[in-house]
Amino acid sequence: MANKKVTKIGVLTSGGDAPGMNAAIRAVVRTAIYHGLEVFGIMRGYAGMVENDIIEMNSRSVANIIQRGGTILKTARCKEFYEYEGRVTAYHNLKEKGIDGLVVIGGDGSFKGAQKFSNEFDIPCIGLPGTIDKDIAGSDVTIGFDTAVNTAVEAIDKIRDTMDAHDRLFIVEVMGRDAGYIALHSGIATGAENILIPETKTDIEDLILSLTEKEKRKKLVNLIVVAEGGEFGDGNELAKIIKERIPSADTRVCILGHIQRGGSPTCEDRLIASHMGYYAVESLLVGRNNVMVGVVNNKIHYTPLDKAVKEKQKIGQEWMKIVKILAS
Ligand code: ADP
């Protein structure tokens, strides 16, 4: 652990936005000020670093944001940062302001960028997992997941009322191209009969058989929650397969989409964002570098950024067994 004293730090949000990012920014800014550091907000993720869109922040800059979704610093994807030349420009912009520490709030892509940047230049980087997908190794929780999953649950509960009233088969597609946590958690919490996620195999014949039996009884009330990246594709692709095999099925597809990203963060997301934001600054102060601040077994846990990048959490097959038993 290098112990070079940081004096001015930058904070940015990068990649996909997640509710609770504002609470994390607030915690970083106020902890930094408490320790006598100067703190800068970098606008639009790495794009602001490359384009020198960097603003000085004070305690008031983060007033009244803990309850707001999105991110006051905005977020973006930045092509230039993939290239060394882009990162050199970013480095000079930080150096010019005297910024000597960075907090990056984002997903695994943002961490890859942070890791490269801090290996190439003498600016330590601390990552905070801000992603609704919860697909970062090294933390049991990520900023935004709890809000997203609760939004999905609220929406699916409403859909279930219609589904029940009409005896319909409903496929609800939730976010998660590579990760099925939103589908798994929201599906369990809404009593879905089937949950399709990228991490586990789905017995499609078994699914069709159970739907056919229900159809025969003219009671095809069935809720299927599917992640965008489910084994058999997204909601529409799954509906097509079902329609081909059971032409009489009255199937509806509802894609929840971006409502899952927005909205006021839940208490849980505000708490973890505040906690992680505080420890991000503490980490820079004690000379940590290239680590992500996470929470494991309810305790702050540090994971090297390359491990947070490469590893994916595993969803146990046991959960899928439980889903089947509870929905029968
Ligand atoms: P997320 O952080 O949500 O996974 P992205 O994968 O889009 O989102 O990454 C956010 C940004 O991080 C990218 O637009 C890019 O600027 C930077 N980034 C991602 N991967 C790399 C990489 N391998 N090298 C350098 N920068 C990267």
Side-chain angles (χ1 to χ4, degrees), residues 174-190:
V174 298
M175 278 186 166
R177 216 160 279 140
D178 310 303
Y181 277 99
I182 297 181
L184 182 72
H185 287 227
S186 64
I188 292 169
T190 54

Side-chain angles (χ1 to χ4, degrees), residues 14-16 46 76-79 81-82 87 106-113 116:
S14 169
Y46 296 123
R77 299 202 150 92
C78 173
K79 274 200 216 115
F81 206 74
Y82 285 96
R87 296 194 294 276
D108 63 345
S110 305
F111 294 164
K112 280 182 202 155
K116 269 194 194 160

Side-chain angles (χ1 to χ4, degrees), residues 196-315:
L196 275 64
I197 56 176
E199 291 88 343
T200 56
K201 290 245 157 271
T202 302
D203 189 341
I204 194 81
E205 291 309 320
D206 194 47
L207 174 65
I208 297 290
L209 189 70
S210 76
L211 295 178
T212 310
E213 274 165 11
K214 284 185 177 174
E215 172 70 358
K216 273 188 203 141
R217 285 185 269 124
K218 299 276 171 237
K219 277 249 173 275
L220 192 49
V221 191
N222 206 94
L223 171 65
I224 302 177
V225 176
V226 58
E228 273 171 304
E231 195 193 338
F232 292 93
D234 61 18
N236 283 319
E237 283 157 343
L238 182 66
K240 214 171 138 216
I241 296 174
I242 293 173
K243 197 78 195 157
E244 273 163 15
R245 302 285 301 270
I246 317 171
S248 56
D250 186 11
T251 308
R252 293 288 189 280
V253 180
C254 181
I255 298 165
L256 295 191
H258 280 84
I259 62 161
Q260 293 161 95
R261 272 197 191 281
S264 183
T266 58
C267 175
E268 172 76 7
D269 274 333
R270 297 180 202 192
L271 286 181
I272 60 170
S274 302
H275 205 189
M276 287 177 178
Y278 171 85
Y279 279 100
V281 177
E282 294 285 321
S283 295
L284 286 171
L285 287 169
V286 299
R288 285 196 181 91
N289 183 17
N290 259 339
V291 294
M292 179 192 78
V293 180
V295 175
V296 173
N297 294 332
N298 289 321
K299 287 205 178 75
I300 288 292
H301 182 86
Y302 301 100
T303 303
L305 284 184
D306 59 342
K307 292 245 169 65
V309 167
K310 282 182 196 138
E311 294 172 13
K312 293 276 178 203
Q313 294 195 27
K314 304 252 178 321
I315 292 180

Side-chain angles (χ1 to χ4, degrees), residues 115-137:
Q115 201 200 349
K116 269 194 194 160
F117 186 73
S118 104
N119 285 338
E120 289 164 347
F121 309 102
D122 58 339
I123 296 189
C125 292
I126 304 294
L128 297 188
T131 162
I132 61 167
D133 290 335
K134 201 167 93 88
D135 57 348
I136 305 272

